[in-house]
Amino acid sequence: MDTIKLGKFIGALQRRFQTATNRELTLPEINASNANFLLFISEHDRVTAKQITTELAINKGLVSREMTRLENAGYVTRVPDATDRRATWVSITPKGLTACETIRQIKQALWDQVLVDTSAADVEVFFNQLASLSERAKVFDHLQ
């Protein structure tokens, strides 16, 4: 097996899903990239930009720009940490939660199209393998 092609396939999947998601999204100031940020934030009570950067493997500058965009649009709020002036807590707003429902529906519909002939058991195996690989790939985080 040519494992080098794994990167090609994963990258192509990501780009195609980004393009399809952008085509389907009609929410103001939301694109496929910051939609993923919003979903991540919605899954936590509050997070820091550093947590978003680390967990989603996105550069700090992009996260900062998108957090400003999402905050200005009313999807998130940012509050400075009272004990650490360098940290800012990001929380989702009710408007952000509503947007996340729409984003999840769009993403689910896209995956349903791609996985139409795949059994639930195979999807579960695929999911677990990708989750494991993603965890192992965190060894590369120190290179940033």
Side-chain angles (χ1 to χ4, degrees), residues 6 15-16 30 37 39 51-52 61 69 92 118 125 138:
L6 284 173
R15 287 185 298 280
R16 286 185 174 118
I30 299 286
F37 300 166
L39 289 174
Q51 288 172 303
I52 297 167
R69 177 178 287 157
I92 193 132
T118 309
V125 168
K138 287 182 179 179

Side-chain angles (χ1 to χ4, degrees), residues 54-55 133-142:
T54 301
E55 288 301 314
L133 291 172
S134 181
E135 248 340 276
R136 284 189 236 153
K138 287 182 179 179
V139 300
F140 304 128
D141 286 355
H142 74 279

Side-chain angles (χ1 to χ4, degrees), residues 87-130:
T88 300
W89 293 104
V90 182
S91 299
I92 193 132
T93 65
K95 180 180 179 180
L97 287 173
T98 300
C100 285
E101 290 175 29
T102 300
I103 294 164
R104 282 187 184 92
Q105 289 171 357
I106 290 168
K107 288 182 171 286
Q108 186 63 56
L110 294 172
W111 275 110
D112 288 348
Q113 289 178 52
V114 172
L115 297 171
V116 67
D117 295 329
T118 309
S119 73
D122 285 345
V123 171
E124 184 74 21
V125 168
F126 181 57
F127 175 87
N128 290 331
Q129 288 173 336
L130 284 175

Side-chain angles (χ1 to χ4, degrees), residues 3-143:
T3 57
I4 302 303
K5 288 185 180 177
L6 284 173
K8 177 185 112 178
F9 295 140
I10 291 168
L13 270 172
Q14 172 66 9
R15 287 185 298 280
R16 286 185 174 118
F17 269 86
Q18 293 284 87
T19 300
T21 301
N22 279 329
R23 198 172 26 246
E24 297 293 322
L25 278 169
T26 59
L27 299 164
E29 298 298 321
I30 299 286
N31 58 45
S33 186
N34 64 21
N36 289 328
F37 300 166
L38 202 57
L39 289 174
F40 179 78
I41 296 163
S42 76
E43 295 164 0
H44 300 82
D45 184 30
R46 59 185 193 158
V47 297
T48 63
K50 181 167 178 56
Q51 288 172 303
I52 297 167
T53 298
T54 301
E55 288 301 314
L56 299 181
I58 306 288
N59 77 54
K60 194 165 87 171
L62 177 62
V63 170
S64 179
R65 285 189 303 277
E66 294 302 328
M67 287 305 99
T68 298
R69 177 178 287 157
L70 291 171
E71 183 179 35
N72 290 341
Y75 295 111
V76 299
T77 58
R78 292 190 287 187
V79 177
D81 186 305
T83 59
D84 182 356
R85 297 181 90 144
R86 297 169 295 172
T88 300
W89 293 104
V90 182
S91 299
I92 193 132
T93 65
K95 180 180 179 180
L97 287 173
T98 300
C100 285
E101 290 175 29
T102 300
I103 294 164
R104 282 187 184 92
Q105 289 171 357
I106 290 168
K107 288 182 171 286
Q108 186 63 56
L110 294 172
W111 275 110
D112 288 348
Q113 289 178 52
V114 172
L115 297 171
V116 67
D117 295 329
T118 309
S119 73
D122 285 345
V123 171
E124 184 74 21
V125 168
F126 181 57
F127 175 87
N128 290 331
Q129 288 173 336
L130 284 175
S132 177
L133 291 172
S134 181
E135 248 340 276
R136 284 189 236 153
K138 287 182 179 179
V139 300
F140 304 128
D141 286 355
H142 74 279
L143 302 175

